[in-house]
Amino acid sequence: MSRSSKSHDGPANPSRRGLLKAGIAGAGLVAGAGLARAAGGDPANLPPNVADWSRYLGPGVDAAPYGMPSEHEAQVVRRSVEWLTASRESSINFTPLHELDGIITPNGLCFERHHGGVAEMNPTDYRLMINGLVDKPLIFTLDDLKRFPRVNRLYFLECAANSGMEWRGAQLNGCQFTHGMVHCVMYTGVPLKYLLEEAGLKTNAKWIMPEGGDAAGMNRSVPIEKALDDCLVAFKMNGEALRPEQGYPARLVVPGWEGNMWVKWLRRIEVGDMPWHAREETSKYTDLLEGGKARRFTWVMDAKSVITSPSPQAPILHAKGATVLTGLAWSGNGRITRVDVTLDGGENWHEARIDGPSLPKALHRFYFEFDWDGSELLLQSRAHDETGYVQPTKDALRAVRGTNSIYHNNGIQTWYVKADGGVENVEIS
Amino acid sequence: MSRFLKVAALSVGAALALSQPLQAGSFGLGTPASPEEIAGWDIDVRPDGAGLPEGRGTVAEGEAIFTEQCAVCHGDFGEGAGRWPVLAGGQDTLTSEAPVKTIGSYWPYLSTVYDYIHRAMPYGNAQSLSADETYAVVAYLLYLNDIVDDEEFELSKENFSSVRLPNEGGFIDDGRPDTPLASEEPPCMSECKAEVKITKRARIIDVTPEEDGEVSGMAVD
């Protein structure tokens, strides 16, 4: 690390206060809360004194029939970047990855991406139509769907444009903004195969076109092999009904593939013998390469990882000594088998500890505990999956694709930790 | 157990045994979709023309509709207002630093234009354009992109598939994985670099949202 800290050409370190302000941009409340905790709290509540909450009764049951997080966690919310899109109804916000742990994303924090706002459907009027190359076109009610055998599966969903703003260089200070278009929940739903077989696929059925009931009528082409393999029509997430912004009452689950294909508010599936070349698979969600040609049908989300803490919105607020580094890794091609981390910008790597379930096409949580000596760090993580794929550097991706791809940026992220604990999004040689 | 109770238990067991585990493909769920129900929802259009409804519209008719219902976001000539999508122009920009991906410069198939306009536009009033109006708006977009040059040009179900977009050949299959696998290039674990230098910093561009103030940067839609 000593070499890197000597050779970087950044400006003189600003004050700790200024650093934290910059590092926690967009999350100003965090700084206040974090610093207060670090300062030690109110002596009246600390030993040997006895706090009010230890003396007097608190709220009883049903104070909140649907429980909400502690008021002290008010900063843990989805956030958006206003300049990214022209309107709020066709826009995106980001999961606060830096505040979360484990591999499950709480339902209310799963990032949102809509193309025509949230379709406010009532479950009684929900219908799913299957038509096209089938023996008998069918319409299912939500109650019909719930009479099929159902399964529970944990999958990540990542937008193909996650990290898309970083193709040309470090741009956003916070893993919520650089990597927050991903979430991972337990879906309960019906294998799509059962629904298609109920309608009876004709022998020339090669593709399906799921279509949303929203004001964008979101439609994509999915090859029949994937549809019959592991796709689900889900109506629950983490045990409760899908949230409206996640497709209530039913959405498509396309494990490991780009989030845009996971059609929300699913109203129809047409079966056909060729792809539709819908707007979202031609004008958008195609990857323009340097020579001017564009890749299409780039469905799978390659292996990727990011350190969620320390990160710009989660600076180190303690002195040198025992430090926990943690992050997330995932692959659309299966399980994560290994995550390497470096503290010195890639001079030396260490194998991180994966903790919690290791499930295919789901988030994996990793940790690396180290004794911080208080000096500057350049943190990176590198994911490996069970196909032998290794997460590449951003420069390696640029070398083969250029900088106009927008989508599928799974390059290695670098965080620059300064001596005072502030963290910045950088790229390194 | 008395003989009477034993007999009663046996007869209930026999009745329950009529319920059998279900097999895929034989759930008997869902109701047949009628042709009328399908017609109301089956709105997709494919590059081979499948799904196109009867209808026709001219460039001039499309201009009037576009000016009234589309130009507020897309500009009178498809140049785009603010951050709304640019629909025309952009030819020869796909290899530049700032590609302009329009119907004329990027989209491979005209069917996508029809399909998308009818299902999702005008923004906030989707599926409100008739087939004739949609054909007319699509015709006008061809005119704005210099793909037709006659204001009297009429686009219809009959001639639709004869119109090809310039970038139809601009798309290739997914080429991934396009970086080395572990078996091809085992990742280095120690003494991997002689020097590490910071080359790019978010603090310098600094477009992270703050509580106040407008910022701008490279947008993704």
Side-chain angles (χ1 to χ4, degrees), chain B residues 1-220:
Chain B
M1 187 183 283
S2 77
R3 174 168 295 205
F4 172 77
L5 283 175
K6 202 178 275 180
V7 169
L10 278 174
S11 62
V12 170
L16 286 178
L18 295 175
S19 296
Q20 295 292 325
L22 282 167
Q23 304 295 320
S26 64
F27 297 103
L29 296 172
T31 50
S34 71
E36 295 72 31
E37 287 172 321
I38 294 172
W41 278 18
D42 185 357
I43 56 173
D44 55 89
V45 177
R46 285 195 323 202
D48 64 353
L52 279 172
E54 296 295 336
R56 59 198 62 252
T58 66
V59 170
E61 288 161 357
E63 181 177 14
I65 299 163
F66 190 91
T67 303
E68 188 187 333
Q69 301 202 46
C70 317
V72 61
C73 295
H74 295 294
D76 284 338
F77 304 101
E79 74 277 17
R83 296 169 199 150
W84 296 102
V86 179
L87 302 180
Q91 279 78 2
D92 304 320
T93 63
L94 297 184
T95 55
S96 76
E97 284 255 311
V100 181
K101 296 191 276 189
T102 72
I103 293 162
S105 71
Y106 193 66
W107 294 37
Y109 302 111
L110 191 63
S111 60
T112 311
V113 185
Y114 189 104
D115 180 88
Y116 184 70
I117 290 174
H118 178 61
R119 75 170 53 246
M121 293 290 122
Y123 191 64
N125 193 20
Q127 300 190 48
S128 62
L129 295 178
S130 68
D132 286 348
E133 289 171 324
T134 309
Y135 279 112
V137 171
V138 176
Y140 182 58
L141 288 165
L142 289 171
Y143 180 80
L144 288 181
N145 278 287
D146 299 325
I147 295 164
V148 300
D149 54 12
D150 178 2
E151 285 190 36
E152 298 308 311
F153 172 77
E154 183 182 78
L155 187 66
S156 66
K157 181 184 180 185
E158 288 69 37
N159 70 1
F160 193 93
S161 296
S162 68
V163 182
R164 310 295 276 263
L165 297 185
N167 197 43
E168 181 176 332
F171 291 82
I172 58 176
D173 290 338
D174 190 353
R176 297 175 297 159
D178 51 7
T179 52
L181 300 178
S183 57
E184 296 160 342
E185 201 173 288
C188 175
M189 291 299 284
S190 60
E191 296 178 32
C192 304
K193 297 177 180 179
E195 185 194 41
V196 178
K197 197 171 158 64
I198 291 177
T199 55
K200 299 186 173 90
R201 308 189 59 163
R203 274 181 63 80
I204 291 170
I205 305 173
D206 211 1
V207 287
T208 311
E210 293 271 10
E211 306 293 285
D212 47 8
E214 270 277 299
V215 288
S216 64
M218 193 177 90
V220 169

Side-chain angles (χ1 to χ4, degrees), chain A residues 295 302-303 333 338 340 382-385 387-401 410-412, chain B residues 175-188:
Chain A
R295 287 178 181 165
D302 279 324
N333 283 310
R338 194 176 111 194
D340 305 322
R382 180 173 67 193
H384 304 239
D385 75 17
T387 69
Y389 184 89
V390 182
Q391 185 182 3
T393 64
K394 292 180 182 176
D395 282 339
L397 289 177
R398 291 180 188 121
V400 287
R401 302 185 200 165
N410 65 321
I412 290 172
Chain B
R176 297 175 297 159
D178 51 7
T179 52
L181 300 178
S183 57
E184 296 160 342
E185 201 173 288
C188 175

